[in-house]
Amino acid sequence: MKKLFKTLFTAAVIFTLFSTFTFAETAVYQTENYILNVSYNETLVPGDAIFVRLTVSIPKNAIPKTHKKTEKFVEPERKATLRLYQGAKVIEKADFYTLEKNKKPYTTELLCGVPLSTWLKNDAYTIKVIYSFENDELKEFTLPLIYKGRTFVSETIDFDEKNSNIKNDNSPERIAQIQKLNNILFTTFPADTYTNQEFVKPVQSDNFTSYFGDRRTYTYTNGKSETSLHNGNDYGVPEGTPVIACADGRVVMAENRISTGWSIVVEHLPGLYSLYYHLSEMNVKEGDFVTQNMIIGKSGSTGLATGPHLHWEMRLNGEAVRPEFFISNFMFEPAKTEVQ
């Protein structure tokens, strides 16, 4: 296995970076008080996301001698922030949150993700982690990124009178619906960690009628046109096809909207939401907790739709991200070992 040694700290310690598998890079940093393991996806692809996981463990020799094994050890507060740079400019930033489903003693798992715009061009990108683990002064380190471009499809969609009217609806009701959804998608609750799994597709189909990131031109019956970006994947499935939750989470919206018809929004992690549009039926309500593969509704053609399909969308910190990105070990969960 090829190892890449890079000095990421200007202090007297060395932070060693080495390849582990295709999706992730890892790094290890050790002090007298803690060991910091870092995992992240090094390849920056427009429309995807960058996730970084920090595993902070306390060496045995740093555990207070007065601590008894039967007592719950209260670890020091862990704080960290992630910044994505394009050159010297910060283009995305977010705070890390604690993953609750950790069974290792004296260990804290922190995760953070930032979305990548579909408009990103080839340039010099880096990510910086700024942290404080012992209630002391802030420390920081920078991780390299490799840019990989992506080509997006352009398409023209001719709307009939019904869809033209929906698209150009500026009524207070539609504006209020848009504002309500945005308020949800741009809200982050640090304690809301409902999953540690790879996500799954919401329908058993590979019949895509539109893809995430498509550059669209809409033409209306009044002769006008408008350009837009498609924020999700459209699955061309018959009306009534079962739609499943892509991962465990909490339903934060389940209602009929002018643009998207019967719609469901599920929160999975702080700032990470899945959206299911144009449904013909909903089997959940706001506040319900869902599990991966649970049927939450059925596909349809409600709202602004040219035919039966399911629109599946993923939002991170309010921004749309390519849904397939999450059908991977984006949280860098360790592989499970089978008991013999």
Side-chain angles (χ1 to χ4, degrees):
M1 184 178 294
K2 183 179 179 181
K3 295 185 177 180
L4 304 175
F5 295 95
K6 303 178 182 179
T7 302
L8 301 178
F9 285 82
T10 56
V13 294
I14 295 179
F15 197 178
T16 305
L17 183 69
F18 57 91
S19 299
T20 54
F21 55 96
T22 303
F23 188 69
E25 295 290 330
T26 64
V28 180
Y29 172 61
Q30 184 169 355
T31 71
E32 294 181 354
N33 298 320
Y34 59 85
I35 301 172
L36 171 61
N37 285 273
V38 183
S39 298
Y40 77 108
N41 51 303
E42 183 184 47
T43 304
L44 182 152
V45 184
D48 282 5
I50 294 292
F51 270 80
V52 179
R53 181 164 177 156
L54 306 179
T55 301
V56 191
S57 56
I58 300 178
K60 290 183 179 180
N61 58 3
I63 298 173
K65 295 181 180 180
T66 56
H67 175 65
K68 299 179 181 179
K69 292 184 178 180
T70 56
E71 298 175 344
K72 182 177 180 181
F73 180 67
V74 180
E75 297 185 25
E77 186 177 14
R78 314 294 195 191
K79 294 182 179 180
T81 299
L82 178 67
R83 294 179 182 175
L84 172 63
Y85 285 83
Q86 182 175 10
K89 180 182 178 182
V90 178
I91 58 175
E92 291 287 347
K93 62 180 180 179
D95 292 330
F96 282 80
Y97 47 86
T98 303
L99 295 175
E100 300 296 336
K101 297 181 180 180
N102 176 54
K103 299 180 181 179
K104 295 181 180 179
Y106 316 119
T107 301
T108 303
E109 302 279 4
L110 302 173
L111 187 72
C112 186
V114 291
L116 303 175
S117 169
T118 62
W119 303 104
L120 287 183
K121 302 299 182 183
N122 191 3
D123 204 342
Y125 297 93
T126 55
I127 47 177
K128 179 180 290 186
V129 177
I130 304 170
Y131 68 97
S132 174
F133 291 159
E134 303 294 334
N135 297 316
D136 56 6
E137 71 279 0
L138 292 175
K139 298 182 177 67
E140 64 181 46
F141 58 86
T142 300
L143 298 169
L145 293 172
I146 300 172
Y147 178 87
K148 181 180 179 181
R150 170 176 285 134
T151 301
F152 295 97
V153 175
S154 296
E155 63 177 347
T156 299
I157 299 177
D158 298 322
F159 279 155
D160 59 15
E161 185 173 358
K162 168 183 169 292
N163 286 325
S164 293
N165 290 337
I166 292 175
K167 188 67 175 175
N168 292 291
D169 184 346
N170 294 316
S171 66
E173 180 183 5
R174 183 168 181 259
I175 292 173
Q177 289 178 353
I178 293 172
Q179 291 176 340
K180 178 181 179 180
L181 180 60
N182 285 338
N183 288 339
I184 292 173
L185 299 180
F186 283 91
T187 299
T188 299
F189 298 100
D192 290 357
T193 54
Y194 300 118
T195 186
N196 63 346
Q197 305 166 291
E198 295 182 16
F199 288 15
V200 297
K201 296 186 304 181
V203 290
Q204 296 301 312
S205 174
D206 290 319
N207 181 27
F208 293 96
T209 55
S210 290
Y211 295 92
F212 167 82
D214 286 355
R215 274 57 170 157
R216 287 181 163 183
T217 299
Y218 299 115
T219 60
Y220 306 123
T221 52
N222 61 7
K224 295 183 179 180
S225 64
E226 180 183 14
T227 57
S228 183
L229 188 72
H230 192 232
N231 287 326
N233 286 334
D234 285 348
Y235 292 90
V237 293
E239 183 160 338
T241 300
V243 175
I244 63 174
C246 62
D248 296 355
R250 179 174 64 95
V251 178
V252 293
M253 176 182 284
E255 62 185 45
N256 190 17
R257 306 178 70 246
I258 294 173
S259 296
T260 58
W262 291 104
S263 307
I264 296 173
V265 180
V266 180
E267 179 191 27
H268 302 288
L269 290 169
L272 181 61
Y273 300 86
S274 62
L275 301 83
Y276 313 80
Y277 288 165
H278 310 298
L279 303 173
S280 61
E281 180 181 315
M282 298 193 304
N283 297 346
V284 295
K285 64 183 184 302
E286 184 177 332
D288 286 350
F289 287 88
V290 299
T291 56
Q292 189 175 68
N293 293 312
M294 174 180 169
I295 296 176
I296 59 176
K298 294 182 179 179
S299 63
S301 57
T302 56
L304 197 158
T306 57
H309 72 287
L310 171 71
H311 174 95
W312 179 40
E313 189 172 319
M314 295 296 306
R315 293 291 189 108
L316 175 61
N317 303 339
E319 300 296 330
V321 174
R322 186 175 65 95
E324 291 92 339
F325 174 84
F326 299 97
I327 307 178
S328 66
N329 188 16
F330 72 96
M331 297 176 67
F332 314 109
E333 280 291 306
K336 295 181 180 179
T337 56
E338 296 183 3
V339 180
Q340 300 297 327

